[in-house]
Amino acid sequence: MSQTPLTNGQPKLRTRPLAATFVLIGGTAALLFSIALAISYGAADIKFTTVWAAVFHFNPDLTSHQVIQEIRLPRVLASALVGASFAVAGSIMQGMTRNPMADSGLLGLNSGAGFVLSLCFAFAPGMSYNSIILCCFLGAALGAGIVFGIGSLAKGGLTPVRLVLAGAAVSALLTALSEGIQLSFKIGQDIAFWMAGGVAGTKWSQLEIITPWLAVAFIGAIMISKSITLLSLGEEIASSLGQRTRLVKLVAMLIVLVLAGASVSVVGAVAFVGLLVPHVTRYLVGVDYRWIIPCSAILGGLLVVLADLAARMINPPTENIPLGAVISMIGVPFFLYLARKERRGL
């Protein structure tokens, strides 16, 4: 085990609080600007003054106001919310498992949620949205549990690359089962866009349901951020400093399931946000998760808002390019880069 310098009995961490403060302030400003930009631009460009009026002085008789209130605003806010959720979930998973390639999309959470969603569409059509969210939670837990179980059975324990390989295998299996169910019950068209990943068609009712869950999960993530930092240094160090590592891992997994499960239920199988953003954040602010988690939330929201804007602008005036495809164009090369770095863990 590598030795970690201690100061007054506490680990000495490489942190950049000034950079983290700049990321929080500058990132928040950039996120707000990108939200305003994403609301204004699309198949129909709308002036910012009209956007302002539609948000603060809504007139239901104006078509532009209806477009903003009923289509653009929930879509953009959903992008920011799920981007932050995926990024925070990825940060927690990477810190907790000490696995630089951990991400909800790569560890079976997305495919598990998709598999259970296919079962819901096939055997319980007309299920309420609350029930669908609960089922996505259960599916995400199922996928993650199988991945961790299989990865732990290998001789030598759960190495980072083994975990990713197990995640790829389980994800492929659950995706194949999902597609088989869709073909058998002819429901593929109903969930095709969900499988590709996207925020088009997001409604205020969906945001009203998931926002309280995500808010509680964000608060929980901040509360356990110090414990995640200690876990990222190794279980022995965390235990020697009085951390109840099993309890922390259990709480962390529950938070990840809420963040990823709620987000997947809205936008579908969007991968790589939780892989890419935490690495960029650690590079900018250091290894203290008290900074990483809030900064990841800001940068994750910014990434998904801009990616969704790009998806809408690729083939105007249609807005049918999946969000997941745009993010994967960035995420796949980054994943291959990380896999190359971690190849010795096989």
Side-chain angles (χ1 to χ4, degrees):
M1 183 186 69
S2 60
Q3 296 296 319
T4 302
L6 300 178
T7 303
N8 297 324
Q10 295 293 324
K12 185 178 180 180
L13 303 174
R14 178 180 61 84
T15 60
R16 302 189 184 98
L18 186 61
T21 303
F22 177 79
V23 169
L24 286 174
I25 297 174
T28 300
L31 177 59
L32 293 175
F33 176 76
S34 67
I35 288 174
L37 193 67
I39 295 173
S40 300
Y41 285 91
D45 292 343
I46 301 173
K47 294 181 179 179
F48 181 73
T49 53
T50 305
V51 173
W52 182 274
V55 173
F56 296 102
H57 306 286
F58 177 62
N59 184 350
D61 296 328
L62 297 178
T63 302
S64 59
H65 284 209
Q66 292 180 356
V67 169
I68 292 169
Q69 279 285 349
E70 302 301 326
I71 299 176
R72 296 270 181 91
L73 197 54
R75 176 173 183 161
V76 173
L77 293 180
S79 300
L81 198 58
V82 301
S85 300
F86 280 132
V88 172
S91 298
I92 293 174
M93 291 179 71
Q94 290 177 18
M96 178 179 63
T97 63
R98 304 185 71 190
N99 182 353
M101 292 185 287
D103 166 58
S104 63
L106 297 174
L107 295 182
L109 275 77
N110 290 0
S111 58
F115 171 65
V116 173
L117 189 70
S118 297
L119 292 176
C120 293
F121 274 74
F123 297 104
M127 181 181 289
S128 69
Y129 189 69
N130 273 337
S131 300
I132 289 177
I133 288 181
L134 177 60
C135 288
C136 284
F137 288 163
L138 297 176
L142 172 67
I146 296 175
V147 169
F148 277 91
I150 292 176
S152 300
L153 293 176
K155 184 178 179 180
L158 193 64
T159 65
V161 175
R162 282 193 185 123
L163 192 60
V164 172
L165 292 176
V170 172
S171 295
L173 172 62
L174 294 176
T175 300
L177 292 174
S178 300
E179 291 175 351
I181 293 171
Q182 293 166 36
L183 289 173
S184 298
F185 291 87
K186 299 180 181 179
I187 57 172
Q189 189 68 29
D190 295 333
I191 58 177
F193 197 82
W194 185 94
M195 296 299 294
V199 289
T202 303
K203 305 297 182 183
W204 284 113
S205 58
Q206 295 173 306
L207 292 178
E208 289 172 1
I209 292 172
I210 67 167
T211 299
W213 289 85
L214 295 181
V216 172
F218 283 135
I219 294 172
I222 296 294
M223 292 177 65
I224 67 168
S225 58
K226 182 178 179 180
S227 298
I228 297 297
T229 301
L230 297 179
L231 275 179
S232 70
L233 302 175
E235 285 198 43
E236 293 183 12
I237 292 178
S239 298
S240 68
L241 294 172
Q243 292 295 312
R244 300 170 64 182
T245 56
R246 289 187 179 180
L247 178 61
V248 172
K249 285 185 175 182
L250 176 61
V251 173
M253 280 305 301
L254 289 174
I255 291 173
V256 168
L257 287 175
V258 171
L259 291 171
S263 299
V264 166
S265 70
V266 173
V267 303
V270 176
F272 298 113
V273 177
L275 174 70
L276 174 64
V277 174
H279 281 275
V280 174
T281 305
R282 276 194 298 273
Y283 176 79
L284 293 174
V285 308
V287 298
D288 191 340
Y289 279 78
R290 288 173 292 185
W291 290 112
I292 290 174
I293 287 176
C295 289
S296 292
I298 297 295
L299 296 180
L302 179 63
L303 170 64
V304 176
V305 169
L306 293 177
D308 181 57
L309 176 61
R312 288 191 279 134
M313 300 299 290
I314 287 175
N315 188 28
T318 61
E319 299 183 353
N320 55 2
I321 303 298
L323 170 65
V326 176
I327 294 179
S328 294
M329 292 175 64
I330 305 171
V332 169
F334 190 78
F335 170 71
L336 294 176
Y337 165 74
L338 287 179
R340 181 178 175 84
K341 285 184 62 178
E342 296 296 322
R343 66 190 184 279
R344 294 182 181 179
L346 283 168

